[in-house]
Amino acid sequence: MQTLLKLSRGIDAFTRWTARRLAWLILVAVVISAVNAIVRKTFDTSSNSWLELQWVLFSIVFLLCAPWTLLDNEHIRIDIFNSMMPKKVRNVIDVIGHLFFLLPLTVVMIITGVPFFLRSFHINEQSGNAGGLPQWPAKSLIMIAFAFLLVQGVSELIKRIAVMRGLIPDAHESQVKAIEAEVEHLVEAIEKK
């Protein structure tokens, strides 16, 4: 198990390093959007490639930073119900969710994403918009992103099993306590009305 935990720490470090660098692309997308809007309003001209570049940059951040969201335990769940459950039940739900839902989904998306990208790459698929960008780089993001998410999902599964065995502390336990405090605050506010 120690070897798996070492692998998990390496995966986590790669995920955090990659995502922190890619997150800056949101700023680049905002700057491109602002410049494009100014040029369009000032000079009455525009370019589809600049509009599409904004979408691609956002897609890069959204897709390739998803593993970081999973790593930091910020993925979507129903926190009110989750926080009411005992820690042991939450751990079992996480293991089942990762093992039977997240990991199979990522495998399916990789398997279907590869031919989707390859077809686009082989024909050098271009945008349907005049002056648009090639489509195959954006389509490659699907298989890359889900491969990253698969690897991070494996890391999360390793850590959750280690937490359940008492080998490592739960890194997200304080986060759950903060959520529980927020739920208690909301319940008190509702009861006062």
Side-chain angles (χ1 to χ4, degrees):
M1 192 69 184
Q2 291 304 320
T3 304
L4 291 175
L5 285 170
K6 191 174 185 178
L7 173 67
S8 176
R9 284 190 296 273
I11 292 168
D12 293 352
F14 172 77
T15 295
R16 197 172 303 281
W17 183 89
T18 304
R20 283 185 175 163
R21 278 139 189 87
L22 292 174
W24 284 98
L25 292 177
I26 287 292
L27 179 61
V28 175
V30 168
V31 168
I32 289 171
S33 177
V35 169
N36 197 28
I38 291 167
V39 167
R40 187 174 61 246
K41 295 295 182 188
T42 305
F43 302 108
D44 197 30
T45 185
S46 185
S47 167
N48 285 331
S49 61
W50 288 107
L51 289 171
E52 289 182 8
L53 182 59
Q54 294 170 96
W55 303 335
V56 171
L57 291 173
F58 179 78
S59 299
I60 290 170
V61 174
F62 181 81
L63 289 168
L64 298 182
C65 289
W68 189 23
T69 305
L70 183 62
L71 171 64
D72 285 347
N73 201 34
E74 295 292 334
H75 53 287
I76 296 174
R77 61 166 51 115
I78 303 172
D79 290 328
I80 292 174
F81 297 117
N82 190 52
S83 64
M84 291 181 189
M85 295 179 197
K87 182 180 173 182
K88 188 174 183 177
V89 173
R90 287 193 307 257
N91 287 335
V92 169
I93 289 171
D94 279 349
V95 168
I96 290 170
H98 285 74
L99 196 58
F100 295 108
F101 296 100
L102 176 67
L103 297 181
L105 172 70
T106 58
V107 170
V108 167
M109 292 303 293
I110 293 166
I111 290 170
T112 58
V114 169
F116 182 66
F117 159 72
L118 289 175
R119 276 191 303 274
S120 181
F121 178 75
H122 287 307
I123 64 170
N124 194 23
E125 184 179 5
Q126 300 296 311
S127 171
N129 299 317
L133 298 175
Q135 293 298 294
W136 60 267
K139 289 183 176 185
S140 73
L141 293 173
I142 295 170
M143 64 181 184
I144 295 167
F146 279 96
F148 283 8
L149 192 57
L150 171 67
V151 171
Q152 187 60 46
V154 168
S155 174
E156 294 304 310
L157 187 59
I158 291 167
K159 290 185 291 191
R160 189 56 42 203
I161 291 169
V163 165
M164 292 172 75
R165 289 184 175 180
L167 299 174
I168 61 172
D170 188 351
H172 303 300
E173 191 169 5
S174 63
Q175 185 181 25
V176 171
K177 297 210 185 302
I179 293 168
E180 289 171 353
E182 182 65 26
V183 169
E184 287 176 18
H185 177 69
L186 288 171
V187 169
E188 288 173 10
I190 291 170
E191 288 175 351
K192 285 181 183 179
K193 290 184 177 186

